Amino acid sequence: MKWSQANMTWKNRLRSNWKGGMSLVLAASFALLTACGSSTPAESDTTAAASGTDTQAKAPVEIEFWYGLGGNLGDNMKKTIDAFNASQDEVVVKGIVQADYTETEQKLQAAIASKKVPAAVLSANIDWARKGYYAPMDEMIAADSNFQKDDFIQTFLNQGEVDGKQYFLPMYGTTQIMYYRMDTLKENGIDPSSLTSWEKLAEAAAKMSKQENGKTTFYGWQPMWGRDNMIDAVMGKGGQILSEDGKTVMIDSPEWIETWDLFRKWIHEDKIMGIEYGGQGWEYWYKTIDNVMKNKAAGYTGSSGDQGDLDFSIVAAMQQPGWEGIGEGKPVANAILAGIPAAASPEQQQAAYKWLTYFSKTENTAAWSMNTGYIAVRQSAQEDPEFKKFSEENPQITVPLQQAAHASAPFRDPTGGKINDALKDAADKVQINNVPAAEALKEAKEKAQKELDRIAK
C-alpha cells in the first residue's frame, strides 16, 4: 500500500536548506564583482537565491482517505475526490475504499497499532478520541476564516465534539426514511399519506403481502436488517436507552419490548415483513433495495442516502410513521463524521483538514445531497440555486430534511460501543431467530448494565 510522501517532503526541505546556505556563499562572492562594476547573467539567479526564493515547485502533499461506501455513493465520493484534486495543487487525496463503515474502523484500529495511518477517515469513535487516537481540529478551525461555524447544521456539527473539542467534522447527515412502490399502493387502494402510524403501515403491509403454500412471495414491507429501524420506532414511543442520570440501561422497558416484539410478530408470525441479512459489506442493503425495485416487496425502510440508487418513476419517499395516540415519529438523525488520526504528520493533518472542509463547502455539500439523498451539512445549501431547482423537480430530496426537523439525537455510547453491541445482538435474535423481545432485551440489558457499571467504578 502506498502511504504518504512525508519522507520525500523532508528531503525537499533538506535540499531547500542546503540551497539557502550555498546562496549566502555565492552572494558573498558575487558581491565583490558587483562592487567592481561587474555584471553576469547569473546575478539575478543568485539574488533570488539569497532572498530565499526556491524556483522548484513544492511537491503536493499526498494523503490517503479511507471510506466505506459502495455503489452510487462510492462513485460520487470518487468524483468529489477527483474534483478536489483538480481544484488545487497543494494536496492530492488518494481514496481507499473499504467494504463498509465497520470494516473502515476495524482496519483503522490495525493502522493505529502499526502507526501507519491514513490522514483522513470517514469514521468517528468517541472513545478513541479520548484516548488520543484522533487529532482535535480546533486550532485549524480557529485559523480558518472560511469555516463559518454558524452555517453548519448545529446538531450535525455538535455530534463531532468530544469533551468540548471538535474532533470530527460532519460530511453528510442521514436519517432512515420510507420508500414505497407507487403502483403497488395504488393497486391496493392505499393512500401513502394515510400511513402515519406503524399500526396503519402493518395493516397496509398485510393487505399488500402475497403468500403461496404458507410462504410469502411478496412482502408488504421490508425493514432494514439491524437495530436502527427498531430503535427509531422505540424513540417514537418515548423509549430511552439510558436513564436521565445516565446510570441505568432502559432497553427492557415496556416501550422497547412492545415495539420490538411487534417487529418480530410482523416478520415471523404474520410474515408480512421480511428481512435480508448477512453477506459481505452492504450486500444485505442492496438486496433489500433490489426486492422493491424488482417488484418483490411493496416498500422498505432505508437510508436517505439510498436515493441515488433508486428510480423515482417507480418509487416515492415518505417519513417514518409514529404510533397511534402518541404522535409523529422521532427517528434518529445522524451525522456521518470524518476524522484525522493523530499519528498522521502535522503536514498530513493540514492537508486532511483542507480536504474535509472542501467537502463541506456549500456548493459541494449541496451537490452531494442532490446526487445521493443524504442531508447537506450546511444551512446555506438549501439556498444553493442548483439545490433549489433540483428539489422542485425531485421532492423526495426534501423528505429527510423534513424528518430531521423532529428527529432524535443519536445515542453516544459511554461504554465505547458495548451497549450498541448488546443491542445489535438482541436485534439479530428478534429479527432472524424469532426470539421473543422480552428475552432478547433482558439479556442485552444485563450485558449492557455490567459494562456501564464497570466504567462508573
Side-chain angles (χ1 to χ4, degrees):
M1 184 173 286
K2 186 177 179 182
W3 297 98
S4 166
Q5 296 182 348
N7 290 336
M8 185 64 71
T9 303
W10 178 73
K11 290 177 182 178
N12 288 341
R13 287 176 176 171
L14 280 181
R15 293 192 190 102
S16 178
N17 290 339
W18 180 84
K19 286 180 183 178
M22 289 300 296
S23 296
L24 292 176
V25 174
L26 292 171
S29 300
F30 280 106
L32 294 174
L33 296 174
T34 303
C36 297
S38 299
S39 177
T40 70
E43 181 177 2
S44 60
D45 293 338
T46 56
T47 303
S51 66
T53 301
D54 189 348
T55 57
Q56 182 179 358
K58 184 179 179 182
V61 180
E62 183 175 301
I63 62 171
E64 288 190 348
F65 171 59
W66 291 7
Y67 61 94
L69 300 174
N72 175 70
L73 298 176
D75 292 342
N76 276 285
M77 181 60 77
K78 184 179 184 304
K79 289 177 184 177
T80 309
I81 291 172
D82 290 345
F84 170 73
N85 289 338
S87 72
Q88 43 75 52
D89 57 9
E90 296 177 352
V91 178
V92 173
V93 173
K94 181 181 179 182
I96 305 295
V97 182
Q98 314 296 339
D100 53 24
Y101 296 138
T102 301
E103 183 179 279
T104 303
E105 186 162 283
Q106 290 171 346
K107 289 194 173 181
L108 179 62
Q109 187 174 25
I112 290 171
S114 67
K115 296 184 179 179
K116 294 181 179 179
V117 298
V121 59
L122 188 63
S123 186
N125 187 305
I126 294 172
D127 189 48
W128 290 4
R130 287 178 173 143
K131 289 179 179 178
Y133 298 156
Y134 280 99
M137 303 186 205
D138 301 83
E139 290 186 6
M140 289 182 278
I141 290 172
D144 183 1
S145 60
N146 296 318
F147 188 72
Q148 296 179 318
K149 181 177 180 178
D150 292 342
D151 187 37
F152 278 85
I153 294 177
Q154 294 305 298
T155 183
F156 290 158
L157 188 63
N158 292 343
Q159 287 174 39
E161 287 188 5
V162 180
D163 300 331
K165 293 183 178 180
Q166 195 77 43
Y167 279 91
F168 308 101
L169 290 179
M171 298 286 274
Y172 45 92
T174 183
T175 186
Q176 295 210 23
I177 61 175
M178 319 286 270
Y179 300 102
Y180 61 91
R181 291 188 63 93
M182 293 180 284
D183 57 354
T184 304
L185 268 68
K186 185 177 181 179
E187 288 168 6
N188 287 274
I190 299 169
D191 180 356
S193 66
S194 70
L195 304 180
T196 56
S197 70
W198 283 103
E199 293 93 339
K200 290 178 180 177
L201 180 65
E203 290 176 6
K207 187 175 182 179
M208 293 184 289
S209 294
K210 297 176 183 177
Q211 297 182 355
E212 292 181 10
N213 301 320
K215 182 180 180 180
T216 303
T217 57
F218 185 92
Y219 285 107
W221 201 263
Q222 288 208 276
M224 192 61 74
W225 174 40
R227 62 182 182 246
D228 293 340
N229 280 183
M230 296 196 296
I231 290 176
D232 281 349
V234 169
M235 296 296 106
K237 267 192 179 175
Q240 299 172 262
I241 297 179
L242 297 181
S243 59
E244 294 297 335
D245 61 8
K247 296 180 180 179
T248 305
V249 179
M250 304 286 288
I251 62 176
D252 62 344
S253 71
E255 295 89 351
W256 282 85
I257 293 172
E258 291 170 5
T259 300
W260 282 37
D261 216 50
L262 274 174
F263 277 84
R264 182 197 62 79
K265 179 176 179 289
W266 293 332
I267 294 167
H268 295 285
E269 294 180 14
D270 301 340
K271 298 180 180 180
I272 59 175
M273 297 188 184
I275 291 284
E276 294 287 352
Y277 60 90
Q280 296 294 316
W282 297 106
E283 184 178 343
Y284 72 95
W285 200 287
Y286 289 111
K287 280 186 177 180
T288 305
I289 294 175
D290 283 347
N291 286 344
V292 176
M293 298 309 299
K294 294 178 179 179
N295 204 21
K296 296 178 181 179
Y300 79 102
T301 312
S303 170
S304 57
D306 293 349
Q307 294 192 18
D309 291 303
L310 299 174
D311 182 348
F312 284 95
S313 68
I314 297 173
V315 300
M318 65 182 180
Q319 297 184 50
Q320 282 198 50
W323 293 95
E324 293 292 336
I326 297 177
E328 64 185 355
K330 294 184 178 180
V332 171
N334 197 41
I336 306 300
L337 303 160
I340 301 173
S345 70
E347 187 177 36
Q348 291 174 321
Q349 290 182 21
Q350 289 287 344
Y353 176 81
K354 187 179 182 71
W355 153 239
L356 296 181
T357 50
Y358 170 88
F359 193 96
S360 65
K361 284 184 176 180
T362 296
E363 61 273 22
N364 295 335
T365 190
W368 180 263
S369 181
M370 287 185 283
N371 290 328
T372 67
Y374 278 118
I375 306 172
V377 298
R378 285 188 180 270
Q379 299 177 53
S380 56
Q382 298 181 54
E383 299 304 318
D384 179 78
E386 292 298 320
F387 184 85
K388 290 178 75 172
K389 180 181 178 182
F390 183 86
S391 62
E392 291 172 0
E393 300 171 354
N394 301 273
Q396 70 273 3
I397 197 71
T398 65
V399 174
L401 290 168
Q402 294 164 0
Q403 184 167 285
H406 54 87
S408 298
F411 172 59
R412 305 186 79 169
D413 192 339
T415 66
K418 297 298 195 309
I419 296 175
N420 277 325
D421 287 345
L423 282 168
K424 178 183 181 297
D425 292 342
D428 282 352
K429 289 177 181 178
V430 170
Q431 293 179 337
I432 300 172
N433 300 322
N434 196 20
V435 174
E439 179 183 335
L441 287 168
K442 180 182 178 182
E443 183 180 348
K445 188 259 178 71
E446 290 173 353
K447 291 180 180 178
Q449 190 65 55
K450 285 180 182 178
E451 296 296 337
L452 187 62
D453 292 343
R454 184 176 289 118
I455 66 168
K457 292 179 180 179

